[in-house]
Amino acid sequence: MSGWSDGTRAVHAGLPEPVPGAPFLPGPVFAAPYHLDPVAGPGENGYGRPDNPTRRALEAAIGELEGGAVRAFASGQAAISALLLTVLRPGDTVVLPSDGYFTVRAFAEAALVPLGVTVAYAPTAGPYPSFAGARLVLFETPANPGLDVCDLPAVAAAARAAGALVAVDNTTATPLGQRPLDLGADVVVASGTKALTGHSDVLLGYVATRDTALLDRVTTWRAQTGGVPGAFDCWLAHRSLATVDLRLARQTANAAAVAALLRDRPDVTGVRWPGLESDPAYPVASAQMRRIPGIVSFDLGTAERTERFFAASRLIAAATSFGGLHTSADRRAQWGDDTPPGFLRLSCGVEDTADLVADLTAALDA
Ligand SMILES: *Cc1c(COP(=O)(O)O)cnc(C)c1O
């Protein structure tokens, strides 16, 4: 795969060598148990919880893009909680993003604190506390939903120097947007539910690392706790991965147009898109990211105005999640998130840019 660019790598990632008469991407293998040799015991395929060939092919594909070995999970939360519970022990300290994915913080309070883990929080854009004494530091960049960015090479080096394991949630960027393992992280966690698979039809998560001891512990954790994705979901995800370069390119182009439009409107505040030169995240994002995601956040002031906005738009669906083919927006406050009542996270789909800009303009005018 070396020497190829993103689009080529995405199309070919994880595919078997060509065999005449065989498909490009083999179909899903549906099996709980497999036939066994009762004397020699199981090879790769013995039972579906520890292993499945469709899952292995997907893991090989994501691994080529992230630059590490991958274990797939049933959701992003299954992957993130697996890493946290594999690494952390009573008495340990973990540092989490204070502005990152809400459910990770809720999990920390509900599950880690009662186990005797000290949970500290730091904003994605800094300033950072001393990492001294931390077992694990998790960064999320760009952060969901506020889209702040952290200087990964710098903060990863500082956390590592303090003896912490460095994890990065790469959900928003995807491995085509940045490769945290090349920027100093020990391990990547991510939701594949979002832009990576991008069709709003599958829940998926993964852990990626070059640390074989950590990989073994995560593999054992997954086999014993059982949060594995099914074969059909793995196959859907692998099929969708082939177009990730095309999808991201259109989403980024749409976000650039949308962010420029929103920035120039006096009736919209707090516009964030790390690709805007005026955005506080722009310098760091342009230094470490290879592309900027198709997500723009902004504030319409009140819940009532967001209601009128959705009612007037024909293209922007009210939905959570992001990175899908269809443009959608999420009023985060409805989830009990700590965002203002008119705050929206807009996820640009792959519609034509001119149509999206026209629809957004009409929705705001209404
Ligand atoms: C969605 C999301 C998750 C959780 O992923 P699921 O697949 O929904 O479990 C974790 N981190 C970030 C940044 C996310 O956006």
Side-chain angles (χ1 to χ4, degrees):
M1 302 293 279
S2 59
W4 289 345
S5 294
D6 287 349
T8 313
R9 289 170 347 110
V11 167
H12 290 275
L15 297 186
E17 288 300 316
V19 174
F24 287 61
L25 174 66
V29 175
F30 298 115
Y34 304 79
H35 288 294
L36 285 175
D37 176 334
V39 177
E44 279 187 316
N45 300 328
Y47 186 55
R49 174 156 37 75
D51 231 332
N52 171 285
T54 311
R55 195 202 304 161
R56 280 200 300 276
L58 173 67
E59 290 171 343
I62 300 173
E64 286 173 26
L65 301 180
E66 287 284 4
V70 163
R71 293 294 175 267
F73 284 82
S75 68
Q77 276 305 115
I80 294 167
S81 58
L83 179 73
L84 295 173
L85 290 171
T86 300
V87 171
L88 297 169
R89 294 288 172 271
D92 284 350
T93 295
V94 61
V95 181
L96 300 176
S98 58
D99 51 347
Y101 188 61
F102 180 71
T103 312
V104 173
R105 283 176 279 147
F107 171 79
E109 297 302 327
L112 298 180
V113 170
L115 281 177
V117 172
T118 300
V119 182
Y121 296 96
T124 294
Y128 287 95
S130 158
F131 297 120
R135 172 79 60 205
L136 174 71
V137 181
L138 172 70
F139 299 106
E140 185 184 310
T141 181
N144 169 22
L147 300 177
D148 266 329
V149 165
C150 73
D151 183 342
L152 266 186
V155 292
R160 267 186 135 162
L165 191 79
V166 178
V168 172
D169 184 328
N170 206 24
T171 303
T172 307
T174 85
L176 271 64
Q178 71 196 1
R179 298 225 306 181
L181 299 179
D182 291 342
L183 297 171
D186 297 294
V187 54
V188 167
V189 288
S191 170
T193 311
K194 318 288 172 56
L196 186 74
T197 61
H199 286 65
S200 309
D201 55 8
V202 74
L203 285 162
L204 184 78
Y206 65 90
V207 172
T209 185
R210 295 170 187 161
D211 177 335
T212 50
L214 180 63
L215 184 74
D216 282 351
R217 289 166 66 197
V218 168
T219 306
T220 301
W221 172 273
R222 186 183 66 175
Q224 292 176 348
T225 57
V228 293
F232 188 64
D233 284 0
C234 289
W235 181 82
L236 271 180
H238 200 162
R239 189 181 72 155
S240 301
L241 208 56
T243 55
V244 66
D245 175 67
L246 294 171
R247 290 184 279 106
L248 293 182
R250 176 62 70 83
Q251 288 171 345
T252 301
N254 281 349
V258 162
L261 168 76
L262 294 171
R263 178 197 56 198
D264 295 339
R265 288 196 58 123
D267 56 348
V268 177
T269 59
V271 179
R272 292 299 308 269
W273 187 59
L276 271 183
E277 266 179 60
S278 54
D279 193 278
Y282 180 82
V284 176
S286 41
Q288 77 190 12
M289 298 187 71
R290 299 170 52 224
R291 60 178 90 201
I292 306 297
I295 305 157
V296 182
S297 59
F298 56 98
D299 199 330
L300 290 184
T302 62
E304 292 66 39
R305 185 156 180 235
T306 65
E307 196 179 354
R308 290 203 303 279
F309 171 82
F310 283 118
S313 168
R314 292 163 63 205
L315 291 179
I316 304 167
T320 193
S321 196
F322 56 85
L325 301 172
H326 316 88
T327 296
S328 65
D330 194 17
R331 192 177 78 84
R332 290 299 307 167
Q334 75 187 290
W335 301 94
D337 216 331
D338 45 10
T339 52
F343 174 92
L344 291 180
R345 182 190 61 208
L346 179 82
S347 170
C348 295
V350 300
E351 296 91 348
D352 289 302
T353 307
D355 292 338
L356 189 57
V357 164
D359 184 73
L360 180 64
T361 305
L364 290 170
D365 288 345

